[in-house]
DNA sequence: GCTGTTATGTTATAACGTAACAAGATGGGA
DNA sequence: TCCCATCTTGTTACGTTATAACATAACAGC
């Protein structure tokens, strides 16, 4: 896919960050580059998500750049492990899960478009007391585990 | 667990609804019963979630009353199938998934507290064109599949 | 030129969530 | 009884996240 200027900027900001960024954190990061208003960020995020280049981590209300190459098919599952203390996030590869979802989806769904799995807990570093506490602001400081 | 008056009200509102309600929809539903401000609803929701009586559907930013009896253990997984068109939701029973999560959590997490799986797509009714479109407001009209 | 389409841009507002404080209730111990 | 600690409940105000609505620019094809 051909990215527009704004989409490039947003993707680049997410790639630089070491943890998920809220849309407004992206906005702040891009103010120096002329990005001024929420809709610009949200529109770019929407396209990037559609292209599979960015995911939204639902339980955080934040966005990450994808480091994988998904099939981009409708049945790809997006899975994240999240440390609830320091905010570290890891995108998991769980293709095998996707297959079982058709059966798991119970009686309701006729077709599946999108699946997400989010597992939260404490990372090894936080259990050892070696991580900084969750950074509330956009600062990119993440956890070294 | 012993529920307080407000918790009873909130739980009851969620049980009556045929689809997930946002916190503010709960608030609106309970205005006639003297509930006036967001923190009351959020505090009740927090307790109810802790007791496993209510879940938050992350991708909708909305809450549902649980119809199951979970183990309430920390490793219970909450799974939902969601129709993205009409808003119908079904809570799935996926205990077997929970077991595999320890392995799936990759290198990051040392311990798991909470897991959520959300599968969205189109329900049978929407595929057939038999469902009403998603109701934006609190109206309880859901999908008959 | 004109027209349709896509991308940008701005303002304002809706929707979701929480911090901080005030007021009442409860329950000892001096 | 009175004071004080503590817990719960309630309210105001605020912070954060997301979108509606409208306006403009840029470009392609005719
Ligand atoms: Zn990915
Ligand atoms: Zn951590
Ligand atoms: Zn449940
Ligand atoms: Zn439907």
């Amino acid at each position: 896919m051909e990215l527009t200027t704004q989409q490039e900027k947003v993707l680049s900001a997410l790639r630089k960050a070491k943890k998920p960024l809220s849309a407004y954190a992206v906005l702040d990061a891009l103010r120096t580059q002329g990005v001024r208003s929420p809709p610009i960020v949200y529109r770019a995020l929407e396209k990037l998500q559609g292209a599979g280049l960015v995911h939204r981590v639902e339980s955080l209300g934040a966005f990450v750049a994808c480091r994988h190459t998904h099939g981009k098919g409708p049945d790809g599952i997006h899975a994240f492990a999240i440390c609830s203390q320091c905010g570290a996030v890891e995108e998991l590869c769980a293709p095998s899960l996707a297959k079982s979802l058709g059966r798991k989806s119970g009686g309701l769904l006729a077709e599946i478009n999108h699946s997400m799995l989010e597992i939260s807990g404490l990372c090894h570093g936080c259990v050892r007391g070696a991580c900084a506490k969750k950074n509330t602001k956009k600062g990119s400081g993440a956890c070294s585990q």
Side-chain angles (χ1 to χ4, degrees), chain A:
Chain A
M1 182 178 132
E2 201 59 36
L3 295 184
T4 69
T5 310
Q6 312 293 8
Q7 288 159 14
E8 295 270 17
K9 289 182 194 168
V10 168
L11 182 55
S12 159
L14 288 176
R15 283 192 170 142
K16 270 183 222 147
K18 300 196 188 75
K19 48 165 248 181
L21 295 183
S22 77
Y24 278 72
V26 172
L27 178 57
D28 284 342
L30 296 179
R31 279 196 199 278
T32 59
Q33 296 172 53
V35 177
R36 257 166 263 220
S37 53
I40 293 181
V41 175
Y42 280 103
R43 288 197 280 240
L45 286 171
E46 191 175 346
K47 294 290 185 184
L48 291 168
Q49 283 181 267
L53 295 170
V54 160
H55 307 307
R56 184 193 150 117
V57 184
E58 301 288 343
S59 57
L60 301 177
F63 302 84
V64 285
C66 179
R67 322 268 180 188
H68 301 126
T69 312
H70 300 274
K72 182 177 156 22
D75 51 2
I77 183 170
H78 299 130
F80 293 91
I82 304 160
C83 176
S84 57
Q85 181 162 297
C86 71
V89 163
E90 182 182 42
E91 184 174 353
L92 307 175
C93 238
S96 67
L97 270 180
K99 298 199 193 73
S100 66
L101 292 184
R103 293 185 290 282
K104 291 288 179 204
S105 73
L108 184 70
L109 298 182
E111 60 185 70
I112 294 177
N113 292 322
H114 190 78
S115 303
M116 72 204 66
L117 171 62
E118 295 181 15
I119 307 168
S120 73
L122 293 178
C123 73
H124 296 284
C126 281
V127 165
R128 287 201 317 266
C131 280
K133 299 289 178 244
K134 179 149 39 183
N135 18 25
T136 54
K137 278 302 174 189
K138 60 168 177 171
S140 58
C143 174
S144 60
Q145 287 202 21

